[in-house]
Amino acid sequence: MKYDDYLELYKTKTFESMNLYFRAREIFPGGVSHNIRFFKPYPFFTRKARGKFLYDVDGNKYLDFWNGHWALILGHSPSKVTQKLRKQLKSGTLYGTANEVSFKLGWEINKAIPLAENTRFCSTGSEATMYAIRLARSASGKRVIAKVEGGWHGFNTNLLQSVNYPYEVDEGLGLIEDEGHFVESLQFNDLERSLKVLESIKDDLAAIIVEPVLGGAGCILPKNGYLHGLQEFAQKNGSLFILDEIVTGFRFSYGAVMDNLKLEPDLFTLGKIIGGGLPIGAVCGKKEFMKLADATVEGDKSTYCSIGGGTFSANPLTMKAGYHTLKTLKKDPTIYENINNLGEFTRTGLTKILNEMKIKAEVTGIGSLFMIHFLNDKVRSINSALDAALSNKEMLNNYNLALMANHDIFFLPGKMGAFSNAHDKKDSMKLLNATRSIFENPGNVKPS
Ligand SMILES: Cc1ncc(COP(=O)(O)O)c(C=O)c1O
């Protein structure tokens, strides 16, 4: 089949979604409630999700490798969590007061990640990173935040810079130029260049914020020494080192990547997995810095950093879902073994198939995360967000459409995939076989 055939097939099987999408465009800008959820020609509309499957309004059932923005490590609606949520529904959905279950989740995080000496819950990852940089500015008395090109920390205004290629161009309207002066961009994995930039802004450098694995920018691993180099510079300079572990926290093992890499961030952010499928964000870190968020101290507002929480922070539904997700992960270490093995098996399998078919591609990832990048004359290997951005994205989107249209396999087009504990080896084999069949004729996924 050719690209146009996949397109026709997708349209034929998603007629109801198409109707809904065009009606949704009247209600929502772009027809969606998150920019990345749109893909061409239009997204299917999900009716329900269970285990490893998404079911759309047209009756299609997709094997899901997107897993709710990679948040659902146990799959969709795992019974160990939903049973507890059903019970919680009877006891209240939003207390708006201090509550015991938030203490339980906070305590679990504290035991799993020693540097979570203190935690403040909020409702999204974007909020968590916004709080982290406000705390860093309070603690350091400085203003500039360094982030990496392609680094994604959510839609908080402060960090909405150099996210999408071309990095020097504004991320959109509504951003004030003056604010941009307080954010500086570094090139991921190029320590020498990054240190040069940091040196030039060191007097006003409040913090460096970085994901330990670039997630949204293409599932890119840090080179040896890169993150340590940034941490060392920040901490010697009296600036804070912030790790954004919103994707990586509890993704590869019971804890955070900072422990595996022996990093010691001053602050870090969590989200996704710790919410067990419900909205969450958390800023955590050393007491020395987190204590600035203590608004109970005597004094006026000049003595603390107002980082909030919000109406829905620490709501009992999210706290219960998060707590029972972590408990499930802690109790059964085979979960990490299983999903990490699936990731490894799939990366190896995809690489082998693409090599055999003489498709120039690189498969990146670690543990249960993986992504294919199609290479071209400009990009021969993937080390940074720039490499990922300049790789053959059109081919990737077309491959993702082919998987959806003809094989009922869903990746959010252009984004990395993740295994959950609902997946097994048969799912990996299904993906490998589908990939082989799509590339049997290399012209298949190119537009005609
Ligand atoms: C590394 C990272 N930080 C922050 C965020 C923002 O989290 P949220 O979408 O919950 O606001 C994301 C979301 O994908 C992320 O991947």
Side-chain angles (χ1 to χ4, degrees), residues 34 70 124-126 129 152-154 211 244 246-247 272 280:
H34 190 318
W70 322 302
T124 67
S126 306
T129 58
W152 172 241
H153 306 288
E211 301 160 78
D244 182 347
I246 285 169
V247 171
K272 302 203 190 263
I280 199 162

Side-chain angles (χ1 to χ4, degrees), residues 277-351:
L278 276 79
I280 199 162
V283 53
C284 314
K286 297 176 182 168
K287 268 197 177 139
E288 172 190 355
F289 303 114
M290 290 297 296
K291 73 176 185 206
L292 288 165
D294 182 356
T296 67
V297 288
E298 291 294 317
D300 60 27
K301 60 188 176 187
S302 66
T303 56
Y304 63 87
C305 169
S306 187
I307 64 164
T311 301
F312 296 100
S313 60
N315 74 76
L317 278 179
T318 296
M319 296 292 109
K320 269 258 156 88
Y323 175 66
H324 288 286
T325 297
L326 293 198
K327 252 181 83 174
T328 305
L329 292 170
K330 184 155 94 175
K331 244 190 182 162
D332 184 359
T334 66
I335 293 177
Y336 285 112
E337 209 180 299
N338 171 37
I339 62 173
N340 292 342
N341 284 342
L342 286 174
E344 179 65 31
F345 180 78
T346 305
R347 284 188 297 275
T348 310
L350 287 172
T351 304

Side-chain angles (χ1 to χ4, degrees), residues 198-272:
L198 290 170
E199 192 61 38
S200 71
I201 51 170
K202 67 178 181 189
D203 292 342
D204 204 12
L205 181 67
I208 303 171
I209 183 166
V210 63
E211 301 160 78
V213 174
L214 288 190
C219 201
I220 297 159
L221 306 190
K223 281 190 178 154
N224 259 348
Y226 181 71
L227 296 172
H228 286 89
L230 297 186
Q231 174 177 287
E232 191 182 324
F233 185 95
Q235 292 174 346
K236 271 194 184 151
N237 193 54
S239 315
L240 276 73
F241 182 62
I242 307 171
L243 266 190
D244 182 347
E245 293 236 25
I246 285 169
V247 171
T248 53
F250 294 95
R251 170 48 66 187
F252 308 117
S253 60
Y254 191 73
V257 165
M258 69 187 80
D259 294 326
N260 306 332
L261 294 182
K262 302 208 173 354
L263 289 162
E264 270 205 37
D266 302 298
L267 296 172
F268 61 96
T269 49
L270 295 173
K272 302 203 190 263

Side-chain angles (χ1 to χ4, degrees), residues 135-187:
L135 277 167
R137 283 174 171 156
S138 305
S140 63
K142 299 174 183 174
R143 297 176 295 178
V144 177
I145 306 295
K147 70 177 285 287
V148 303
E149 287 178 351
W152 172 241
H153 306 288
F155 276 104
N156 91 60
T157 306
N158 300 116
L159 294 171
L160 215 48
Q161 195 164 305
S162 67
V163 176
N164 297 297
Y165 179 79
Y167 302 116
E168 61 285 0
V169 175
D170 284 352
E171 288 300 319
L173 301 175
L175 297 167
I176 296 168
E177 201 184 336
D178 287 355
E179 272 187 45
H181 296 153
F182 298 109
V183 180
E184 200 60 55
S185 298
L186 312 174
Q187 197 172 30

